[in-house]
Structures are given as structure tokens and as C-alpha cells.
Amino acid sequence: MSTSNIQIIPISQSKIDTVDFNNLVFGTVFTDYMFECDYKDGKWQTPVIKPYGEISMAPSARVFHYGQAVFEGMKAYKDENDDVFLFRPDENFKRINKSSARLAIPEFPENYFFDGLKQLLNLDKDWIKKGIGNSMYIRPFVIATQPAISASPANEYKFMIILSPAQAYYAGEVRVVFAEQYSRAADGGVGFAKAAGNYAAQFYPTKLAHEQGFQQIIWTDANSHEYLEEAGTMNIFFRVGDTLLTAPNNDRILDGITRKSLIQLAEDNNIKVEIRRVTVAEIKEAARKGELKEIFGSGTATVVNPIIGFSHGGESFDLPKIENSYALFFKEKLMNIQYNISEDPHGWRLKI
Amino acid sequence: MSTSNIQIIPISQSKIDTVDFNNLVFGTVFTDYMFECDYKDGKWQTPVIKPYGEISMAPSARVFHYGQAVFEGMKAYKDENDDVFLFRPDENFKRINKSSARLAIPEFPENYFFDGLKQLLNLDKDWIKKGIGNSMYIRPFVIATQPAISASPANEYKFMIILSPAQAYYAGEVRVVFAEQYSRAADGGVGFAKAAGNYAAQFYPTKLAHEQGFQQIIWTDANSHEYLEEAGTMNIFFRVGDTLLTAPNNDRILDGITRKSLIQLAEDNNIKVEIRRVTVAEIKEAARKGELKEIFGSGTATVVNPIIGFSHGGESFDLPKIENSYALFFKEKLMNIQYNISEDPHGWRLKI
Ligand SMILES: Cc1ncc(COP(=O)(O)O)c(C=O)c1O
Ligand SMILES: Cc1ncc(COP(=O)(O)O)c(C=O)c1O
């Protein structure tokens, strides 16, 4: 049911035939259309869907200077019958507005968000390929466009949705380092929001980690570096014995949709999850005793991402190879829901 | 001495006659020209100075998503002989590269920076108005332009300098609140850098402060909220008795050029400065005893900005009206150097 009046400017010709769908580099190929909605004069204007292309802005646009920008990451999946599904998109919608509120950006109307998404995905549906692992990565984002460089909230914004076809993402063997010096977010800061600036702030420490042979950093609390929080774009689970541990949400940690889905799946499958502060010390201790069986990340991009080793305080630990991996169990369960292969007991799928 | 080869694309007609220089709103009016330099293929390309105007970018440009952007703020001043001066521009140059390094942005070459600045200011010199308080606000900034939404450092950037004429900025009576809940920067984070995202993160808490009648927040450390750090775009000084207190630089606080100039001026004038952690408790205690004589901010935009009162923990304090204000003393000393009225014993002025 469309309640908004989105204007559609058609493309003259699709560029889909120029794309090699078997060799997609994540986030570099975009579809024919994009969704755009401007905020000015105190309200969101009529949205438009138009040919994907460059946007033009004053160099004084506030996003360039003050990072007033938030985003979301979600995916659409195609099943064997060519039906297209979103996974818990209501959560992304709520979260982008929560992020916006923290960044003093006006919230976006629900009907524009969902109508925009649906119409855009319909126009670009041939770009969504069947087959497990294939998906359409969806990037809604908001940027402050007001051309005025004073350090205060803008009164003009642009909300966009762009689409990028994605293949299964194999991260390779992932070793992580627990942060000891750098940090991602402050108490009372914006860590819980998908604020643009949170990500650039991680680039340099992550580059240092790469140079030392680690693919990612697991961030610890900025105060003591004793508590394990999350990775750059994933929440983190530790399996000690047969119990899963994951940090509680707070104002430093993103409330991940994959994370909360895994917690639900664990409950559904009688796997014990403790949501509590997890210390570096206890994880090292468990590793020493052979009780640490798995570490994995959860996030929209990779779904569930096993981690094979970690390092902290100059000590390195390798995780054992394991038979009944929770990570793989959850990954399959979740993907079966996402691709409309299994039942959907919690109503997480939305058919487009 | 020009060591770079900047290309200049001339304007067809100046827009200077359309500007009312007596009613400038800060940061909204820009000059005829802008400086632009792109980074690609592993190096900064030949810079260009061209007519000020919109820039065009893919919606997938990394700055929009991950806030990979840094900036500087500096000013040019014109003296009675129409000579134009910069104030300690070497410090801004060093600082933007320090900010860039923390954000994993390639550093910018010194000759491009200074040649660009000089040629740009020469082309737009009629826009710099004489008279104490008038200045040209200079905004160098760097943004990640690579069109690819993976969360990692870009391999394409744009370095720009834009110019905005400014009048003396009267902030009105400034009352501040000491932060008790929100915070600006984490230990091990990017607070010391002029990273774009640091500023948007302050907008919402500052909006709340405005609603309670405070113009600004003085940020405290995120861990305990017991130590006073800096304001949104100013470092902070407290005068207790005849001693000035200001927080030391650390990885949460911007190393302000005005701040370090005031510390030098204090030394030159036998005013005692203690650079050490300043507690909320001691400032409240000093206020109660009548020993807190002044609070003021220091920054390029307002030079020195007196604060007339503060609030913390539900208690409000008004500062006394005072005869020999350090704030005003420093402001005059510094502006006399900036406008080429007094001697410049430390070699802070650079004539363009
Ligand atoms: C910082 C951070 N943590 C965790 C996640 C995982 O969240 P989700 O499962 O909703 O994708 C993401 C990615 O969205 C993220 O950016
Ligand atoms: C966070 C912050 N603190 C302090 C300052 C003051 O620094 P400066 O005196 O170099 O302008 C600024 C402004 O540049 C700032 O952005």
C-alpha cells in the first residue's frame, strides 16, 4: 500500500548488461536507480527515484565539515520463485531514526522509507540474483547538505537509498586483536549510532592491526580496555563451553539486528546465551583452559563470521577446529530464513 | 616562492558587488575562487584554483558514509596598508596532517598548501576588509571521494580551501554547562583531531543545552566527568585568583593554536598558567569562595570568548564582573599581533 507520492524519472537504458555478476567487488557496482529525498523548509519534500548518478553539492555543505551523516546497511534476497524479501527492515528503519536523533538530524517518515525501498527494489529487481549468497546490499543514508560552515545542526538534508548487488562474502581466515590502546566510542558518545564518523575513526587503528597480521580489531571499553565490546561492523559472540557470551547493548555498541536474531535463534534452539559484560581476562583464561570453543562476529554483510584466533598483550591464541560449530549452525538457520527456504516463526521476512 | 604548479581557471565576473559586508552571517558567503586538489593513483595531483561552485560526487563517495574527512580553521587579516597576514599558518598545516594521519588520509604536501593559500588569498584579496574584527575565514578540508562503500580507507580524496569573509563575532553573553552525561571524545579516540565526525556528535547534546539556556557545553572526560576538558570549538581557561588553569593536551583535546598563543602571552606578561587536569570540584569550590574570577574560551573564530556563568549538578554560578580581565587583555594583545598593529616577538605573522 503506497501512501506516499514518489516521483519516478526513468532511465533511458539499463546498464545491467555491463555488469559481471560473478565478479562483484563489494560496494562498487550500483544499480540503475537511486532514491532521493530532500529536507528543507522544515520538512521532507516529495521523494524521487531517478537514474543512479552523481550528486552535486556546495563545498560548504555541512556533511563535508562536520560529519553530520548516518546510514544503514540491509539486504534483499531472492528465492527460487523470484520473490524478493527483506530481513527485519522495520529494525533498520527504527535504527536509522535513532541514529539521526543522536546526530540532530530530522527523522525520516516511515511511509517514504518503505515505499521508497519497495519501488526502488521493484525497478531494479533484475539486479537481484538468485542463489544462496547472492543478495542486494541496500544502503540508506542521510547527509547534511546545508551550504554553511557553522558548527551546528543543518537545516537541509538529503536522504538517499542506493543499491549494490553483492555475492557471498568470504572473509578468509579471520584473526583479531583485542584493542589495548585505541578505542571506538566513548561513554555518552555516539557509538550506538550508525554515525558516519564512527567508521573513519577506526580506519587507522585497523590499518595498524592489518600490518600486524590481524584482519579486525575487537574493541574494548575506552576506560579500562578490560571489557570486550564489538568489532568494526560486527557484534561479537564468544562460546565458552556450550554457553554463548555477548556484551549487552549500551551507548557505545551498535544494537545489531543479526545479533538480536542470533540471540533469538539460540533461545529457540536451547542454546544458552549470557548477555553480560565479557572480560578480556576471562576469555584468555577460557582459551588457556581449552574452554573457549568459538568466537564469531554477526552482521548484515557477512551474516556470521567465524574468527580463528586472537591476540592480546603480546599473547596469541588459536581456536580449535570444532565439529558442531554454533557459528555455522546459526549462519545456515538465518540464511534459510532470509532466502525463504525455511519457516519464519518470528515474522522476520518482508516480501516485496 | 612558488614551488608548485597551480593551474588557475579565471572567473568571468566577480560576485563581490552582490555582498553586503556589513551583514555577513558567519560561514554563508564565499569568495570568487576555491582551491582544489585531488588524490588518486597514489598521489596528490596538480592543484587547481577555480571559480567557487558546486562539486559533484558519486553518492557512494566514502565521505558520505564513513565520515572520512578532516578540516582546519584559520583567518587572514588586513592591516591599514592593505597588507594581508596569516596567523601561525604553519601550525594549521601541521595539524591538518596530524588529523589526516589519524583518519588514515594521506598527508598533504607543504608547498601545495602554502602556495595554494597565497595564490587564493591574492586572487580574492578585495574580499578581505580592513578594520579590527573583519577577517577572512579560511577553511581547508579533505574528504574521501572514492565511490565505493566498503568501510576502509579510501584511495581517492579531495583537498579544498574555501574562503568566507567574516565580521567580528559577538557571541553574546555566554553561559555554559559542564557535561555530566554526554561526552565528546574517548581515550584512544579521535578527539585531538579536527575529524568531521567529532562535531556532529556534539550537535544533539548542545541542542539540549540550548534548550536549558546554555550557549555551550564544557566537555568533561568521558570516564568520570570529573575533569574539565574543552568546549565544542574552543579550549578553556579558568582564572582562579590570579592564576590561569587549562587542561593539558591529550588524545581527547584539540591542541588549539589560540590556546598555545595565550599560554605564551601569559608567560610574556608574567601571568601564571598551570597546565594540568582541572576538576569540576575545584572550580565549583573556587566559585563558592569567590576565587573564581574568569572563565574564557580560546579559538580562531572568536579569539577569546568570556563566559559569564556555568552550571553543574543542578547548581548555577555567576561570575563576578571584573576590572582587569585577562580575557580582554589577551584578546587585545592577540588581535594587535594579528592585525599588524603591535610587534610580533614570536614571529607568528606571515605576510602574504
Ligand atoms: C559497528 C557495528 N556493529 C555491528 C554491526 C552489525 O549490525 P547488523 O547485524 O544490524 O548488521 C554493524 C553493521 O551494521 C556495525 O556497523
Ligand atoms: C574542538 C576544538 N577545540 C579548540 C579549538 C580552538 O583551536 P584554535 O585555537 O586552533 O582555533 C577548536 C577550533 O579550531 C576546536 O574545533
Side-chain angles (χ1 to χ4, degrees), chain A residues 66 151, chain B residues 71-74 87 91-92 95 137 139 184 191-195 198-199 202 219 229-236 252-261 297-303 334:
Chain A
Y66 305 122
Chain B
F71 69 98
E72 267 304 322
M74 48 203 297
F87 182 73
E91 295 286 340
N92 297 96
R95 195 168 62 184
Y137 183 79
R139 170 57 59 88
R184 180 187 173 276
F192 73 88
K194 280 185 86 83
N198 288 342
Y199 296 81
Q202 302 179 66
W219 296 104
E229 306 220 300
E230 63 168 330
T233 57
M234 303 192 297
N235 296 104
I236 293 290
R252 297 183 304 273
I253 300 182
L254 191 85
D255 183 4
I257 298 162
T258 317
R259 171 182 174 279
K260 69 173 83 169
S261 304
S298 69
T300 297
T302 53
V303 192
L334 208 56

Side-chain angles (χ1 to χ4, degrees), chain A residues 195-316:
Chain A
N198 288 342
Y199 296 82
Q202 301 179 67
F203 290 171
Y204 176 72
T206 305
K207 198 168 77 171
L208 296 182
H210 287 173
E211 286 165 14
Q212 292 164 7
F214 304 103
Q215 282 67 48
Q216 301 217 18
I217 296 172
I218 296 189
W219 296 106
T220 50
D221 69 297
N223 298 3
S224 69
H225 296 295
E226 282 173 23
Y227 299 96
L228 292 156
E229 307 220 301
E230 63 168 328
T233 57
M234 303 192 296
N235 297 104
I236 293 290
F237 289 84
F238 302 89
R239 175 180 174 186
V240 176
D242 286 334
T243 300
L244 277 178
L245 309 178
T246 190
N249 293 322
N250 58 34
D251 62 6
R252 297 183 304 274
I253 300 182
L254 192 85
D255 183 6
I257 297 162
T258 318
R259 171 183 174 279
K260 72 173 81 169
S261 305
L262 295 197
I263 293 171
Q264 181 65 56
L265 288 179
E267 202 171 283
D268 295 351
N269 291 279
N270 294 311
I271 293 171
K272 194 173 162 208
V273 188
E274 290 178 15
I275 300 170
R276 61 163 174 83
R277 302 190 84 177
V278 180
T279 67
V280 171
E282 72 177 302
I283 295 303
K284 289 173 80 171
E285 185 59 20
R288 278 190 206 101
K289 289 193 189 150
E291 289 168 5
L292 181 69
K293 298 204 183 150
E294 295 180 78
I295 304 180
F296 52 89
S298 70
T300 296
T302 54
V303 192
V304 178
N305 199 157
I307 289 165
I308 64 159
F310 71 92
S311 177
H312 177 267
E315 287 178 281
S316 285

Side-chain angles (χ1 to χ4, degrees), chain A residues 54-56 66 183 187 196 223, chain B residues 54 56-57 66 183 187 196 223:
Chain A
E54 296 210 330
I55 52 178
S56 181
Y66 305 122
S183 46
D187 281 327
N223 298 3
Chain B
E54 297 210 330
S56 180
M57 228 173 288
Y66 305 124
S183 45
D187 280 329
N223 299 3

Side-chain angles (χ1 to χ4, degrees), chain A residues 82-237:
Chain A
D82 284 327
D83 285 326
V84 173
F85 297 90
L86 293 171
F87 181 73
R88 308 187 78 173
D90 46 316
E91 295 286 339
N92 297 95
F93 171 70
K94 278 186 269 174
R95 194 168 63 185
I96 200 166
N97 276 344
K98 209 169 139 190
S99 299
S100 286
R102 181 60 180 83
L103 276 283
I105 295 172
E107 296 182 20
F108 196 64
E110 188 165 0
N111 60 336
Y112 284 3
F113 184 82
F114 284 99
D115 287 352
L117 259 182
K118 286 176 195 171
Q119 295 196 40
L120 189 60
L121 286 169
N122 266 324
L123 285 164
D124 280 330
K125 65 173 172 295
D126 293 343
W127 292 76
I128 314 176
K129 297 301 175 190
K130 279 196 274 216
I132 292 285
N134 293 325
S135 66
M136 179 62 75
Y137 183 80
I138 303 169
R139 171 56 57 89
F141 64 105
V142 199
I143 53 178
T145 52
Q146 189 191 353
I149 51 168
S150 46
S152 58
N155 60 19
E156 292 174 16
Y157 298 88
K158 196 181 276 298
F159 186 108
M160 299 190 75
I161 305 175
I162 57 178
L163 303 179
S164 179
Q167 292 175 272
Y169 180 75
Y170 176 61
E173 302 214 309
V174 175
R175 276 196 173 72
V176 298
V177 59
F178 295 170
E180 291 173 67
Q181 178 192 355
Y182 290 106
S183 46
R184 181 187 173 275
D187 281 327
V190 298
F192 72 88
K194 279 184 89 82
N198 288 342
Y199 296 82
Q202 301 179 67
F203 290 171
Y204 176 72
T206 305
K207 198 168 77 171
L208 296 182
H210 287 173
E211 286 165 14
Q212 292 164 7
F214 304 103
Q215 282 67 48
Q216 301 217 18
I217 296 172
I218 296 189
W219 296 106
T220 50
D221 69 297
N223 298 3
S224 69
H225 296 295
E226 282 173 23
Y227 299 96
L228 292 156
E229 307 220 301
E230 63 168 328
T233 57
M234 303 192 296
N235 297 104
I236 293 290
F237 289 84

